[in-house]
Amino acid sequence: MTDWIQSVAAPDAVARVVCLPRAGGSARDFDRWRTPLGARIELAAIQLPGRLDRFGEQPLNDLHRIAEEVGAALTTLPPRPYVLFGDCMGALVAFETACVLRRLGAAPPACLVVASYPAPDRMRTERRYSDGSAEDLRKRLREVGGVPPAVLDEDELFELMLPMLRADFEAFESYRYRRTDPLPSAVHALVGAEDPYVTVADLDGWRRHTTGEFTARALPGGHFFLHESDAAVSLVRDLALAAARSPEPGREG
C-alpha cells in the first residue's frame, strides 16, 4: 500500500471501488461509503498530499501529475475488478488516471463514474480563484460549500489549509485536456438534481470519451448530493458487483 491509497483489508471482496475526492476534500470524504458498499467491495480512497495524514507534504497543483501518481499507485494493488469514481475535481482526475493506466498497459476500469463535473474537453470560462486573494477564495468556498465552516471561520486554521486549497483550485482551473482516444470503459455521469452549478445537459459531453456505454442522470440533492443520500453509493456498489460478474477486464496490474 502507498501513501496515495487508504484502504481497509477486505478478504471477502470481489471488486474494488477507487474514489477520488473533490477539491479541498480527502480520502475521509468516503468513510461513510464503507458500510453501504458492504464486505464484498473493497473501498480504496485516494489521499492527495497536503491534507490530514499527508499534511506535511507539498500539495500538487498539476492535475496531470496527480493522475500519473494515482495511476502508478493503483498498479501496486492486487488485481481485482474495479470502478473509478471521481467527485467534482476528482472526476477529471479519474478520467486522466484511466488514461494513465491505459498508457501503462494496465487493465481498464470496468467503468468510470463521474460526479458533478462537465466533460474534460469543455473549456473553463469561470473566474479563477487559485491566484486571487485569500479572502476571495474563502468567500467562494462559503458559497459552494463542502469545506467545514470551522475551517473557514477560524483564520489560523484557514491559513494552514490555504496552500492545499490553492493547489487544488489551481489543478482544475489550469487543467487542459490532451486529445486522446476514447476510453473502452463505460462512463456513468451523475449530478444532483438541485445542483446550481452543473446540470444533466452539462454531463452529455462525457459520451465523447467512451466507446462503451454512457449514461447521465440526476440524483436527489444539490452540488454535494453524495453526502445527502445513499443513491450514488448504491449505484456504484451495483456497478462494482456487476464488474465482478463480468468476463470483461477491469483489473489493475
Side-chain angles (χ1 to χ4, degrees):
M1 192 67 63
T2 76
D3 290 340
W4 286 86
I5 303 170
Q6 294 196 353
S7 179
V8 175
D12 298 325
V14 297
R16 174 180 295 126
V17 172
V18 178
C19 293
L20 296 124
R22 57 186 164 74
S26 74
R28 295 295 304 274
D29 291 355
F30 301 98
D31 282 357
R32 65 182 298 273
W33 277 30
R34 297 189 188 279
T35 297
L37 283 178
R40 299 182 66 209
I41 299 175
E42 174 195 358
L43 173 64
I46 300 302
Q47 187 74 297
L48 304 183
R51 65 211 76 205
L52 297 183
D53 53 310
R54 302 189 69 186
F55 180 78
E57 300 178 49
Q58 183 73 22
L60 298 180
N61 61 3
D62 183 325
L63 195 137
H64 290 284
R65 166 78 186 285
I66 293 170
E68 289 169 4
E69 296 284 355
V70 173
L74 292 179
T75 63
T76 68
L77 297 178
R80 182 170 283 167
Y82 71 108
V83 171
L84 276 181
F85 175 85
D87 179 23
C88 298
M89 179 185 83
L92 290 180
V93 180
F95 169 76
E96 289 295 341
T97 296
C99 294
V100 168
L101 290 167
R102 177 168 58 184
R103 292 195 296 271
L104 293 175
C111 62
L112 185 68
V113 184
V114 292
S116 307
Y117 211 90
D121 54 344
R122 195 191 83 163
M123 186 65 69
R124 272 184 55 84
T125 57
E126 296 85 357
R127 174 185 172 182
R128 289 176 59 94
Y129 289 89
S130 56
D131 49 10
S133 72
E135 283 310 308
D136 281 349
L137 180 56
R138 175 150 48 181
K139 182 179 178 182
R140 177 60 174 170
L141 290 167
R142 288 191 194 279
E143 292 171 353
V144 175
V147 174
V151 173
L152 301 177
D153 294 340
E154 177 56 53
D155 289 346
E156 221 172 284
L157 187 52
F158 181 68
E159 287 297 323
L160 285 173
M161 303 296 292
L162 190 56
M164 176 272 287
L165 293 168
R166 283 196 186 279
D168 283 5
F169 269 69
E170 174 72 16
F172 74 82
E173 288 179 343
S174 298
Y175 168 79
R176 293 295 180 269
Y177 169 72
R178 299 171 182 172
R179 186 176 296 276
T180 187
D181 291 336
L183 297 169
S185 308
V187 174
H188 302 287
L190 310 176
V191 69
E194 287 82 46
D195 191 327
Y197 307 107
V198 186
T199 68
V200 174
D202 292 328
L203 303 178
D204 193 63
W206 282 100
R207 74 171 64 244
R208 295 189 293 272
H209 300 283
T210 177
T211 58
E213 180 186 7
F214 170 77
T215 64
R217 70 190 77 183
L219 297 179
H223 192 57
F224 296 98
F225 71 94
L226 298 185
H227 309 290
E228 297 175 34
S229 79
D230 284 340
V233 66
S234 296
L235 172 65
V236 172
R237 179 194 61 217
D238 292 347
L239 290 169
L241 291 175
R245 295 191 295 268
S246 173
E248 296 299 317
R251 303 171 184 269
E252 300 93 332

